[in-house]
């Protein structure tokens, strides 16, 4: 008997895990990995996961594979493609940042500390391990930049040919550089992310390439370990809120599934509430949420946070399920709010990319409107590293971002190589001297 199978969320059709599929073979619907929790229950405990903390050996040293029994219970250990992902810091927000947000109990889980600088690595170790298992020779994705950076790296590690498509002129420099450097065939599509994803999905059906976008359920199995690790780092104490940015909605889908499994297994005693934050110019899920999910909306997306510039989120159904399970909500923030929150996270010393700052901007807005209380126990997810999008950092601090205020600018200075200029600078900046 197998411990896990794939079940279609649309028609209920099932597949075995070693079938070379990632969407339903019958109707093309989204597949869910379903683990046989009753059989797994006796082997799973907080103590098991705690015993692997600090492990020096792969795969259990990874913050994804530490939870192997809930990710891919039957994966052959020697076939796992891992870079030791996860094990990211759960920061207590520095006092000034917490005060700016208006929270008394704010923590930030920094997924930008993963090997390629975003949470995508947690999903990619799952997806590429499955690709190897079904003997795929090449892997493909459409991406706003982080999925492609991650896939390029893991494909190279596994010896697979990687092919990435991104929207022309809408990808941050750090991400583009990673994809090219890791050796993926890197293709700019003259269209937006939604057009790129539709094209790639079609191409996969037509040409039989293995798809590694988050419609691939093995990606989400890896990504759900973000919430496992948060809970474990908090000694399994459930926060009141977990707040994350939403684009294609893979991550929020993964969070809901992971939390539901922990609850069903008795590893946690209640659900946290989930808040998904979308950029105001890329908020189709927010529109549907506001109407009680009467309709699935799509939009022509526009935001400075290119990572979440997505108008037709692929994991809509799974994300809606997460909100049902967690009494979740959706909020929007403007580009100005995003960019100012980013400046605050950056100058706190932690740093993040623009899309990540949507979490922090969202928490600030939800506290101001009274939905989140200042005393609530809140965990915000920072999804990507500050160096992913260096262009925006420089433009913000130089005051050259089109149509946006550089509220917290830290302007770059230029001086002559003289002591007099240094002294003038020290005086001007009131830098304490001897
Ligand atoms: N934050 C960052 C930094 C991202 O790169 C993404 C998605 C998200 C948030 C949103 O996560 O799509 O699961 O809702 N980036 C994808 C990519 C789309 O191609 O890298 P989501």
């Amino acid at each position: 008997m197998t411990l896990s199978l794939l079940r279609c969320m649309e028609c209920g059709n099932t597949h075995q895990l070693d079938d070379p599929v990632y969407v339903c073979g019958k109707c093309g619907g989204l597949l869910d990995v379903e683990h046989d929790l009753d059989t797994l229950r006796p082997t799973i405990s907080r103590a098991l996961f705690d015993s692997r903390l600090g492990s020096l050996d792969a795969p259990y040293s990874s913050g994804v594979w530490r939870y192997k029994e809930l990710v891919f219970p039957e994966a052959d250990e020697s076939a796992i493609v891992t870079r030791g992902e996860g094990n990211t810091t759960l920061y207590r927000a520095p006092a000034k940042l917490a005060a700016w947000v208006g929270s008394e109990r704010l923590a930030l889980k920094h997924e930008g500390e993963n090997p390629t600088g975003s949470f995508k690595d947690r999903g990619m170790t799952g997806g590429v391990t499955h690709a190897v298992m079904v003997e795929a020779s090449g892997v493909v994705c459409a991406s706003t930049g982080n999925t492609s950076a991650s896939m390029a790296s893991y494909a190279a590690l596994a010896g697979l040919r990687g092919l990435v498509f991104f929207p022309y002129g809408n990808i941050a420099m750090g991400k583009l550089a990673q994809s090219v450097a890791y050796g993926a065939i890197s293709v700019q599509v003259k269209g937006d992310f939604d057009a790129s994803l539709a094209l790639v999905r079609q191409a996969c059906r037509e040409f039989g390439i293995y798809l590694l976008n988050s419609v691939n359920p093995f990606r989400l199995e890896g990504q759900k370990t973000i919430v496992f690790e948060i809970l474990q780092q908090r000694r399994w104490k459930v926060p009141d809120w977990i707040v994350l940015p939403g684009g294609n909605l893979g991550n929020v889908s993964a969070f809901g599934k992971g939390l539901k499994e922990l609850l069903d297994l008795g590893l946690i005693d209640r659900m946290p509430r989930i808040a998904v934050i979308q950029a105001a110019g890329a908020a189709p899920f927010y529109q549907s949420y506001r109407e009680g999910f009467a309709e699935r909306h799509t939009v022509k997306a526009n935001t400075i946070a290119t990572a979440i510039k997505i108008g037709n989120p692929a994991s809509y159904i799974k994300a809606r399920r997460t909100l049902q399970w967690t009494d979740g909500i959706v909020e929007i923030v403007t580009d100005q709010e995003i960019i100012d929150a980013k400046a605050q996270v950056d100058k706190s010393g932690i740093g993040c990319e623009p899309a990540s700052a949507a979490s922090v901007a969202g928490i600030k807005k939800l506290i101001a409107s009274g939905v989140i209380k200042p005393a609530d126990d809140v965990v915000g997810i920072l999804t990507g590293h500050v160096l992913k999008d260096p262009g925006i950092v420089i433009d913000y601090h130089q005051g050259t971002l089109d149509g946006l205020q550089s509220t917290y600018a830290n302007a770059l200075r230029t001086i002559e190589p003289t002591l007099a200029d240094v002294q003038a600078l020290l005086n001007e900046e009131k830098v304490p001297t001897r």
Side-chain angles (χ1 to χ4, degrees):
M1 188 190 122
T2 55
L3 290 171
S4 320
L5 54 76
L6 293 166
R7 189 182 301 280
C8 176
M9 291 194 57
E10 308 272 357
C11 74
N13 179 39
T14 60
H15 284 280
Q16 295 305 308
L17 245 55
D18 54 4
D19 285 353
V21 294
Y22 37 76
V23 291
C24 178
K26 208 158 121 191
C27 76
L30 287 181
L31 293 172
D32 223 7
V33 178
E34 210 171 85
H35 300 298
D36 179 355
L37 294 185
D38 287 334
T39 306
L40 286 166
R41 194 178 305 267
T43 64
I44 293 175
S45 64
R46 292 176 178 180
L48 173 72
F49 299 145
D50 286 350
S51 75
R52 292 176 182 156
L53 283 173
S55 166
L56 296 175
D57 301 312
Y60 298 106
S61 51
S62 152
V64 170
W65 298 102
R66 178 155 77 246
Y67 313 100
K68 178 172 180 285
E69 289 74 9
L70 284 176
V71 173
F72 208 148
E74 289 168 302
D76 171 4
E77 279 178 32
S78 63
I80 290 173
V81 183
T82 174
R83 287 193 59 185
E85 49 294 306
N87 295 309
T88 58
T89 309
L90 180 64
Y91 292 90
R92 189 181 163 162
K96 276 190 187 160
L97 177 61
W100 183 80
V101 172
S103 169
E104 292 158 20
R105 288 165 83 192
L106 176 62
L108 296 170
K109 175 71 168 164
H110 207 328
E111 287 297 304
E113 295 177 355
N114 272 291
T116 75
S118 85
F119 70 94
K120 306 290 183 179
D121 294 340
R122 291 194 191 249
M124 217 43 84
T125 184
V128 172
T129 296
H130 184 257
V132 170
M133 179 175 146
V134 298
E135 297 174 353
S137 55
V139 288
V140 63
C141 71
S143 179
T144 55
N146 279 324
T147 298
S148 44
S150 183
M151 195 198 80
S153 164
Y154 282 76
L157 202 65
L160 299 175
R161 206 70 214 272
L163 174 58
V164 307
F165 291 83
F166 21 70
Y168 188 83
N170 268 298
I171 172 168
M173 195 49 78
K175 306 175 187 182
L176 181 61
Q178 283 178 296
S179 169
V180 176
Y182 290 132
I185 303 168
S186 306
V187 185
Q188 310 195 67
V189 178
K190 292 183 179 169
D192 59 12
F193 169 80
D194 301 295
S196 308
L197 180 57
L199 177 69
V200 163
R201 291 188 73 168
Q202 233 179 326
C204 284
R205 272 196 303 273
E206 201 66 30
F207 308 122
I209 325 171
Y210 188 97
L211 180 69
L212 270 171
N213 276 96
S214 56
V215 291
N216 181 315
F218 299 99
R219 285 266 317 271
L220 303 194
E221 290 306 291
Q223 283 172 212
K224 74 185 182 186
T225 63
I226 298 171
V227 287
F228 293 176
E229 200 170 88
I230 290 171
L231 266 309
Q232 190 173 22
Q233 285 169 314
R234 295 169 50 94
R235 298 183 173 78
W236 305 99
K237 188 173 165 295
V238 179
D240 297 317
W241 291 92
I242 295 180
V243 184
L244 77 164
N248 215 20
L249 303 178
N251 221 20
V252 59
S253 302
F255 280 26
K257 183 170 190 288
L259 289 166
K260 180 73 163 52
E261 286 166 349
L262 293 184
L263 189 71
D264 288 349
L265 287 164
L267 268 71
I268 55 173
D269 54 8
R270 68 182 174 94
M271 281 290 202
R273 293 186 71 187
I274 292 222
V276 183
I277 313 299
Q278 294 208 289
F285 193 53
Y286 176 75
Q287 278 187 33
S288 298
Y289 164 77
R290 285 289 299 261
E291 296 169 358
F293 295 109
E295 198 185 323
R296 179 173 177 166
H297 286 277
T298 59
V299 301
K300 182 93 189 131
N302 190 21
T303 168
I304 194 166
T306 51
I308 51 174
K309 190 171 173 183
I310 295 173
N312 185 14
S315 290
Y316 171 85
I317 309 177
K318 288 185 177 178
R320 197 180 58 193
R321 181 176 72 175
T322 292
L323 295 195
Q324 281 156 3
W325 280 340
T326 64
D327 190 18
I329 61 171
V330 188
E331 183 55 280
I332 48 169
V333 287
T334 62
D335 279 1
Q336 186 67 53
E337 288 169 319
I338 289 174
I339 211 71
D340 284 342
K342 172 175 155 54
Q344 289 290 332
V345 174
D346 289 355
K347 80 193 198 92
S348 80
I350 292 175
C352 67
E353 70 159 284
S356 309
S359 303
V360 175
I363 296 167
K364 183 174 167 66
K365 184 171 178 186
L366 289 166
I367 289 178
S369 65
V371 177
I372 296 181
K373 305 281 173 273
D376 283 354
D377 191 354
V378 184
V379 178
I381 311 294
L382 301 179
T383 44
H385 195 278
V386 66
L387 286 177
K388 286 284 190 174
D389 199 340
I392 283 191
V393 176
I394 301 302
D395 285 345
Y396 180 86
H397 291 288
Q398 303 274 62
T400 54
L401 276 180
D402 242 8
L404 293 171
Q405 301 294 319
S406 297
T407 322
Y408 306 106
N410 177 23
L412 190 65
R413 322 298 163 84
T414 309
I415 61 165
E416 294 298 329
T418 65
L419 270 183
D421 268 23
V422 174
Q423 186 166 40
L425 182 76
L426 297 180
N427 290 344
E428 193 187 314
E429 286 299 321
K430 300 189 181 60
V431 178
T433 52
R434 236 171 323 128

